[in-house]
Amino acid sequence: MTARFARQSGFVRRHILTAQPRSLGILYLFLGLAAVTVGTLLSLCIRIHRVWPAWPFPLYGTVQPEDYLAMVTMHGTLMIFFVLTIVPQNAFPNLVLPQQIGTTRMALPRLNATSFWLFLVSFLVLLAAFFVPQGAPVSGWTSYPPLSAIPIAGPGQGAGMDCWLAAIALFCLASVLAALNLLATIACKRAPGMRWTRMPLTAWAWLVSSILTIPAYSVLLAACLMLIGDRNFGTHFFIPPGDFVNGQLVGHASGIGPGSPLLWLHLFWFFGHPEVYISILPAMGLTPGIIANFTRRTVHSYRVQMISLLAIGFFGFCVWGHHMFVSGMNPYAGSAFGFVTLAIAVPSSAEVLAWLGTLWPGGMSLKTPLLFILGFLSFFIAGGLSGPVLAQPSLDSYLHNTFFVVGHFHLIMAMAGVFSLFAGIYYWFPLLTGRRMNEALGHIHFWISLVAAYGTFFPMYFTGLAGEPRHYAQLRGPIESFATILPLERGITFSALLLACTQLIFLWNVFRSLFRGEPAAPNCWQATTLEWAPVSFFESRTPVKRGPYEYGPRGELQDYIPQWESVPKQE
Amino acid sequence: MPAAFILLSVPWMPPDGAQHGPALDRLLGMNLAILFGLFVISQILMAVGILRRKPRKDTAAYRATWSRILTSSLIIAFCALYAWMGVTAQALWEISRLQQAAPTALQVEVVGEQFAWYFRYPGPDNKFGPTRTSLIDAAAGNPLGVVRSDPAGKDDIVSGMLVLPAGQQVDLHLRSLDVIHGFFVPGMRIKLNAVPGQVLHLHFTPQKLGDYPILCSQVCGIGHQRMQTMLRVVTPAHFEQWITERERQQAGATE
């Protein structure tokens, strides 16, 4: 009995109540899996309701407009915060970052563990919004006031909105703490000889996204606290004087505290735009390494890519106004934000050119991790190229808040992001479990997902050009021209269902490979970066002598020199 | 060459009835054509990479040099493309948003509330009267709380449909009573939010006669999807007839 208890508490201490980065990384993956499951189910409900609005959901009944908006709000919030932020920015760095820079520990392990538990509480508080009276909020993931500031403005804007705000405020705190730990780790824990220019680009990406996280999430935290004040403590940061909602005067009668909803938009998008880069930069750091590994060619433009990551991070803070061209912001500011946004397209284009330049000579080994990186690249281009259209204020005046934008960010952020997460999981699975994932299942998973994802999100460009606005549960009313896009709507729904079902193949592959996967040799991809180094390297503290991507025929025996090898370079 | 793509993209868009519309559609079509071309080229490059099982037999040094030259010239080309986009789009933005409306423009106030649009014409005196939230009573025919006892407000006309004469510039005064709404007329290629606490201006010239849907493009609550009405563009003579009739009704109602 005591022995069993000791064994159990050993398991709990090693894997749950732990400050071990790798165990925390696994916990983060489970949190991300829970969030992505709920988020995906919500998106399927959304798609089904749009095509068959009269069909009552089993065990629930007919979907009301407020149910639809609540599902959209929660889908966006879960996916953006708990999947596309937590997994690339928290799960992956915990799994491999310390090893990649030549250590086994984080700089601030307890802080790191604390932020995981804060994320978990935040997740539970967010889900609680479904179960409070009147349900989840209806104001979308951007929560523009006064709709989000006035409980009587709609169902779900009472207790549900309070849950949302509390959850996001907690999430901000957790993100800032986690980013502080990553920054401290990269700054102080690098192995001897691990110079800045010898760090893998993944480490650079996590460095830049952590630098973005701290100011961006601090500002969102402040904005959330201000909105909580407006809702509960009589402040009027975002509620203008004379505001008249649902038959009641809710703003001050006259000029006292001239609050403005635009203040929230500025604060929110000052967070919201860098957030896009926080979630996609880790993918941009992972891509060159995986391309180099599976083409066995070195990364030629390491410095260009490093500088591009930094430039994207810097410009990422200067473009938030491109979400606000039609918000009532001064139109001269619109011009300025438009030009800066076009400027940010330059480093992104440089990155893509560098990757394409390594890929098109061919001769690559088409393993599943590379396939998913190719998918990432394909979606990054498909979604990225519509960015310059939306960056032009005059064109955005037509396209803003239409499905053109929905297609744009689902391709570049959601699909590109998720495909890079799959690439990371397929790539690091042998490192974490000692087994490989099944290649055949991986290929099937990839190709069906690729086709279904294009089928789901590419047609949205066309429905958006037709003028279809966001957040409409049904396309009814005087707009007859929308009848032409109904067949596209149906196609999108079928593709979305296929896309979601295909992910079961992935889950089965993970589950099966955990127990029955082919045992993997150490460093089975013949990779060069330090997370694949033998344990003896970390114990010996041997200085690092070379760059992260030394691939290419260098002798008779092997076509790569790992970073942990101390033999001098043969030139 | 890009004309084919422009034709491909345009049928998806609702009929275009505004004076500034054709230029905007042309620019949008051109942008989409160029970017779609780049999309196809990049996907072909990736497919070539996948299909080419044996790598090209170039030396590493050769490849490095060429990739450097090619990459930098392509980056310069992209800079030129983005600069062209910025400049051409700025020209349209200048006309529609940076320039003021003409002094002769027809003045109409647009008010959004959960979940309807109201349009107020200033009446014969060409002046909007003051409004007071305490007077708001949609059932009694005063959804905006216009102070009818005020001489400027006495003759104001409030309509649920926007009626405009073709060929005359209109200066919209956008505001909202409660939450943020989005005033979107796809057929006129215009969109601007109605923000409580602010009055925003938007001007355009309707050109072609017809009915154009007006939508709400910013989620505003449970009735967001049904916050729709119509813009009816009529001939100047018809408009004169309509507005005189409404003015007569209004004069009868206030007396």
Side-chain angles (χ1 to χ4, degrees), chain A residues 10 45 84 140 201 211 314 341 373 380 383 415 436 485 531 541:
Chain A
C45 296
L84 291 168
L201 286 162
I211 295 174
F314 171 75
T341 305
I373 282 298
F380 190 79
M415 284 307 105
R436 284 168 181 267
I485 59 182
E531 75 266 32
R541 304 281 292 166

Side-chain angles (χ1 to χ4, degrees), chain B residues 170-185:
Chain B
V170 54
D171 181 11
L172 299 177
H173 305 224
L174 248 79
R175 64 189 187 92
S176 162
L177 295 181
D178 40 35
V179 302
I180 301 179
H181 300 281
F183 181 75
F184 180 26
V185 193

